[in-house]
Amino acid sequence: MMAAQHPRPYNFSAGPATLPEPVLREAAAEMLDWHGSGMGVMEMSHRGKEFMQIAEAAERDLRELLAVPSNFRILFMQGGGLGENAIVPLNLAQRRPDARVDFVLTGSWSRKSCVEARKYADVGIAAGTDRGPAPSSVPAAGMLKLRDGLSYVHICSNETIDGLEWAELPDLAALGCDAPLVVDCSSHILSRPMDWSRIGLAFAGAQKNIGPAGLTLVFVRDDLLGHAMAHCPTAFDYRVVAENGSMYNTPPTYAIYIAGLVFQWVKREGGVAEMQRRAVERSTMLYTALDASEIYRTTVDSGSRSRMNVPFFLRDGSLDDAFLAGARERGLLQLKGHKSVGGMRASLYNAMPLDGVRSLVTYLQEFAARHG
Ligand code: PMP
């Protein structure tokens, strides 16, 4: 009989982040021998029948979970979100000769994307500014100042550092804009359905809601393939990657395998609708506790608050170290905010159990009672 397992601490890291425990156990059990093949997944040829089976199942399950239409390709790539900041303009900016692209700036990640795109495109800012503190809300769609003849429009649908989330994607067509919307959904993918009718391309690093770092998912509409600039690296040309079933070069095989196990876990748990319900439940519980105490401060307006990444600040910053040390003692890990903004951040990804949030809320209340 297995010895009783000591419960693992709750890990609030923004990414790489906590993964579902059943997935980690399954991967551990299969580490040396996957399904009687005599090989661990890391040791398999990416072109062998065993790994092909793993990759095909992962793609099929992801397509089903997010209801990805048949005119979108799912690509398993490398380079992370920051890689995509270059790979997207290298592939899409020259769809139109002026290589004009507009960005909506809602925080750190959209700003980073914008800076990188300037190397490849004529960049405009449709809303927001590229300096100073992040805004406290995402702009209303009607406020976007979009130029004519754009190759695409870029948004970050969940700002991991600043804690802003678009409740709804902008409908560019309704704004009279015929350009495709590019969405960096790295930090909330699989936590809610995606409205493909409003999306041309979406990308996400895997290391938050999906699996290990090293895998990047790209969803690209068929008509956006085949526009890469001549100097785009071949391994990053979406058309080449799509035509080769994400195996033009060796894909991150182990990360794809873990992602596949996570997709199966999400399906078993009730799919994306259930992930969304849990995300609302977790984040509401935490924001309610933060709002109830004078000693904590949040910066995002209620309509734009992220359900995945909750930055918060102690009004008395000299208590930060004591707060973090007390949290660690209670098995509440990685709550330190991003270095660029300071304070705290609790990331509440799909794998975070509600009990983790309950424990954090209890701690927030205890700490406030002691220091309020
Ligand atoms: N975009 C968003 C929204 C992110 O949260 C991150 C990473 N935290 C990135 C891009 C960059 O991803 P990577 O480090 O994998 O390049």
Side-chain angles (χ1 to χ4, degrees):
M1 220 173 73
M2 287 229 306
Q5 305 276 347
H6 185 70
R8 302 176 81 222
Y10 296 112
N11 177 355
F12 295 91
S13 168
T18 190
L19 287 171
E21 194 168 321
V23 166
L24 297 177
R25 292 193 185 285
E26 211 173 334
E30 295 178 343
M31 177 63 80
L32 300 188
D33 181 5
W34 183 80
H35 294 201
S37 66
M39 301 177 277
V41 176
M42 269 182 270
E43 305 169 304
M44 291 173 181
S45 162
H46 58 299
R47 301 189 193 283
K49 71 174 181 350
E50 293 87 357
F51 186 74
M52 293 295 276
Q53 206 180 312
I54 290 170
E56 282 166 15
E59 183 178 334
R60 202 169 48 242
D61 287 339
L62 180 59
R63 192 175 281 281
E64 180 187 325
L65 280 167
L66 284 172
V68 183
S70 59
N71 64 330
F72 276 75
R73 304 296 182 91
I74 301 178
L75 311 179
F76 292 102
M77 296 184 68
Q78 296 170 80
L82 292 180
E84 289 304 319
N85 284 349
I87 297 169
V88 170
L90 279 164
N91 276 275
L92 299 193
Q94 273 183 5
R95 277 181 67 240
R96 288 176 166 164
D98 293 340
R100 215 179 269 164
V101 303
D102 278 1
F103 280 74
V104 183
L105 302 182
T106 47
S108 310
W109 289 111
S110 48
R111 286 175 180 176
K112 267 209 154 100
S113 302
C114 180
V115 168
E116 184 73 8
R118 287 186 199 282
K119 293 183 182 174
Y120 309 102
D122 165 4
V123 166
I125 296 176
T129 68
D130 52 9
R131 62 201 81 220
S136 56
S137 60
V138 302
M143 301 301 285
L144 303 184
K145 294 195 177 58
L146 298 165
R147 296 178 294 171
D148 291 331
L150 294 170
S151 291
Y152 65 91
V153 176
H154 177 115
I155 69 166
C156 174
S157 51
N158 187 69
E159 288 278 5
T160 322
I161 293 176
D162 308 288
L164 287 92
E165 181 169 3
W166 291 73
E168 195 184 323
L169 300 180
D171 182 353
L172 296 185
L175 298 171
C177 171
D178 64 355
L181 182 69
V182 169
V183 183
D184 174 359
C185 58
S186 293
S187 49
H188 70 166
I189 186 171
L190 281 183
S191 72
R192 61 185 220 179
M194 290 173 73
D195 184 351
W196 296 105
S197 71
R198 297 185 178 183
I199 297 172
L201 181 146
F203 66 84
Q207 68 270 26
K208 297 150 195 309
N209 261 337
I210 288 181
L215 167 65
T216 318
L217 295 168
V218 177
F219 305 82
V220 55
R221 213 172 57 203
D222 282 336
D223 62 290
L224 301 179
L225 298 171
H227 302 283
M229 295 178 186
H231 58 278
C232 175
T234 309
F236 292 152
D237 180 332
Y238 292 139
R239 185 179 56 79
V240 173
V241 180
E243 283 175 358
N244 288 277
S246 297
M247 298 217 188
Y248 172 73
N249 65 332
T250 312
T253 53
Y254 198 75
I256 292 172
Y257 158 70
I258 299 287
L261 295 183
V262 170
F263 301 151
Q264 287 167 22
W265 175 81
V266 174
K267 283 175 68 172
R268 285 199 303 276
E269 295 291 307
V272 168
E274 173 62 13
M275 295 300 118
Q276 182 177 32
R277 190 196 66 73
R278 292 182 190 178
V280 171
E281 187 175 31
R282 279 190 302 259
S283 56
T284 304
M285 183 183 281
L286 181 53
Y287 285 118
T288 303
L290 291 167
D291 290 343
S293 169
E294 271 301 306
I295 86 159
Y296 306 112
R297 181 172 62 82
T298 60
T299 56
V300 181
D301 296 346
S302 60
S304 298
R305 280 173 158 182
S306 170
R307 292 160 176 177
M308 292 281 112
N309 309 99
V310 181
F312 61 95
F313 301 84
L314 302 184
R315 286 192 196 273
D316 177 358
S318 72
L319 295 173
D320 282 3
D321 289 344
F323 179 89
L324 288 166
R328 259 193 314 276
E329 266 169 35
R330 287 163 177 76
L332 306 171
L333 305 182
Q334 308 206 70
L335 282 163
K336 196 176 165 73
H338 191 270
K339 60 181 185 309
S340 63
V341 292
M344 309 296 154
R345 173 174 50 173
S347 293
L348 312 176
Y349 295 123
N350 287 347
M352 173 58 63
L354 189 62
D355 270 344
V357 185
R358 268 198 205 103
S359 302
L360 175 57
V361 164
T362 303
Y363 176 55
L364 287 168
Q365 290 165 345
E366 280 172 24
F367 192 86
R370 213 164 333 119
H371 298 280

